[in-house]
Amino acid sequence: MLPPVRKFVFTLAAAAAMQFALGGAAPVLAAQTPPAKTVQAKKAVKTAVKKTSTAKASAKRAAAKTPQKARAVKTSLQKKPVRRVKQRRAGMSPSQATLAGLRKTEDPLMLGSSVAYAVDQDTGEELVVKNADVPLPIASVTKLMTALVIAESELPLNEKLRVTREDYVRSTASSKLRSGMRVTRGALLQAALMSSDNRAAHALARTYPGGKRALVARMNERARALGMSDSAFTDPTGLDNGNHSTARDLSRLVAAVYEHQEIRSASTQPFATITAGKRRVNLSTTNRLIGDPSWRIGIQKTGFTTAAGRCMVVQSDVGERRLVMVVLDSPNNAQRANDMRTMRAYVEGEAEFRRGFEETVPYEIF
């Protein structure tokens, strides 16, 4: 007996293969989203961003108009011991995609992510398409573009760079890098991609010729050159929600970084130890698919901010194909990994059925 997901996948693959045998085009598993709704989704995302910015501005104006006496009373009250109210976790706030209603989009694979995309890296054949053209924040997936610019700059990876206080970017994510540590550029690249270390990404940008501003400018140049027409980059870490892209654009970025061995090696190790002066710093991956022997991953990157939700891009060999898969705005880490598994199972099932169909004599079917 096949599990329910595999059974569902093979049912879809069977129907698709029959269409293929009768002279139809290669199947694309796509969410039923007309072009008009895609435009509406883009507008909804812009509206959600605008409302958030307006609310923040209103709060600042209200605070500025508070009379001094009222502030004095507030200060005196704060001196008295009060019971602290448990703060709401940042991750509980809805993402931009969720506010725009993208999480409600129905798709044949019943994926939990707002956006999903799977494409053959070599042929460009699209296999799974769900809201693939809606620009959204991409969080630390941004670091793949940072890594591409560093790799193409041909700066020596064995050059030692000093981590400084300037690299202490504002973030709830932790970092094992401390001010004064001397770390090679290659080790910083590994920390940025494997552990998604924001200080490492900032140090790479700060020490780039011309500094962070020059690196960000180059990131946008490379995006245009790759045909990433719906993408923009504003910082090297992904903490700024101005970094946005679409799933289709990100597949182009993944294909480009795959050409660099140093990026493939840096992003796909489950554990690593780097040297920082006399200290040794242990790193671990943020991707639960790394280390799974059933996956042959060539490139990966995860990301999370409140506005972006959980994101992941993966390049992996699936059967005889090299596949690029993207999910954006997953509700949690388990769901984004499960959506990747579901897309891979669908592609594997389609390929297996097609191979069996080609070996079958037609009269045996009818």
Side-chain angles (χ1 to χ4, degrees):
M1 288 290 292
L2 288 172
V5 172
R6 296 287 292 178
K7 192 172 183 180
F8 172 67
V9 167
F10 276 108
T11 302
L12 287 173
M18 182 65 73
Q19 179 185 353
F20 181 74
L22 296 175
V28 178
L29 193 62
Q32 300 300 316
T33 308
K37 286 195 174 182
T38 300
V39 174
Q40 290 177 358
K42 290 182 179 181
K43 290 181 179 179
V45 170
K46 289 182 180 179
T47 302
V49 174
K50 188 175 180 181
K51 285 183 178 179
T52 304
S53 301
T54 304
K56 289 181 179 179
S58 299
K60 288 182 179 179
R61 286 196 297 270
K65 293 180 180 180
T66 303
Q68 291 184 357
K69 290 184 179 179
R71 291 182 184 176
V73 172
K74 184 179 179 181
T75 303
S76 64
L77 289 174
Q78 287 177 346
K79 291 181 180 179
K80 297 180 180 180
V82 293
R83 188 176 64 178
R84 294 191 178 186
V85 178
K86 189 175 181 180
Q87 298 235 349
R88 189 181 186 187
R89 292 176 60 190
M92 299 295 288
S93 301
S95 64
Q96 288 187 11
T98 302
L99 289 172
L102 298 185
R103 188 78 60 84
K104 298 177 182 178
T105 305
E106 295 183 359
D107 67 271
L109 291 181
M110 296 178 288
L111 303 172
S113 304
S114 294
V115 174
Y117 186 63
V119 62
D120 189 304
Q121 182 179 342
D122 300 306
T123 67
E125 180 185 1
E126 296 180 334
L127 301 159
V128 178
V129 180
K130 178 181 180 180
N131 294 324
D133 291 313
V134 181
L136 293 168
I138 55 174
S140 286
V141 176
T142 297
K143 293 184 177 76
L144 279 181
M145 181 59 85
T146 302
L148 179 63
V149 172
I150 294 297
E152 292 179 342
S153 71
E154 297 184 354
L155 293 168
L157 294 180
N158 60 356
E159 180 183 357
K160 289 189 175 182
L161 309 173
R162 186 183 295 276
V163 178
T164 71
R165 283 282 179 182
E166 190 178 346
D167 301 320
Y168 282 41
V169 290
R170 188 174 181 179
S171 169
T172 56
S174 61
S175 173
K176 294 182 179 180
L177 299 179
R178 299 290 180 264
S179 180
M181 284 185 172
R182 291 179 61 82
V183 188
T184 64
R185 182 175 282 108
L188 289 174
L189 186 68
Q190 187 170 33
L193 293 176
M194 190 177 120
S195 296
S196 205
D197 193 295
N198 293 315
R199 291 178 189 172
H202 192 276
L204 289 171
R206 178 177 52 80
T207 55
Y208 181 81
K212 185 171 73 171
R213 181 175 295 183
L215 180 128
V216 171
R218 181 59 181 162
M219 290 167 71
N220 285 290
E221 288 177 8
R222 290 299 290 125
R224 289 191 292 272
L226 292 172
M228 299 172 65
S229 56
D230 289 317
S231 303
F233 297 93
T234 53
D235 93 306
T237 66
L239 292 173
D240 190 327
N241 291 324
N243 295 288
H244 66 265
S245 187
T246 67
R248 188 171 274 113
D249 277 3
L250 288 176
S251 71
R252 298 186 177 99
L253 174 59
V254 172
V257 298
Y258 183 80
E259 300 301 318
H260 296 271
Q261 176 61 45
E262 59 270 37
I263 299 180
R264 295 203 301 271
S265 299
S267 73
T268 55
Q269 294 185 37
F271 304 99
T273 301
I274 63 174
T275 303
K278 295 181 180 180
R279 300 183 183 181
R280 297 174 71 80
V281 178
N282 296 320
L283 305 175
S284 59
T285 185
T286 57
N287 190 335
R288 62 179 61 193
L289 298 179
I290 295 292
D292 185 336
S294 66
W295 283 80
R296 292 177 290 169
I297 296 177
I299 290 288
Q300 72 79 31
K301 189 71 196 76
T302 60
F304 169 72
T305 62
T306 301
R310 270 80 175 179
C311 309
M312 185 191 293
V313 297
V314 166
Q315 187 281 341
S316 179
D317 292 345
V318 178
E320 298 177 355
R321 280 179 156 165
R322 296 194 303 174
L323 209 66
V324 175
M325 293 179 284
V326 181
V327 295
L328 302 178
D329 185 42
S330 297
N332 51 62
N333 293 340
Q335 185 65 60
R336 73 181 177 186
N338 286 338
D339 284 352
M340 285 288 182
R341 294 187 184 101
T342 301
M343 287 194 292
R344 186 185 71 164
Y346 165 71
V347 175
E348 287 176 331
E350 181 210 1
E352 187 174 336
F353 190 90
R354 184 183 295 188
R355 185 164 51 251
F357 187 86
E358 290 173 349
E359 296 173 356
T360 303
V361 179
Y363 69 78
E364 292 180 352
I365 300 177
F366 302 102

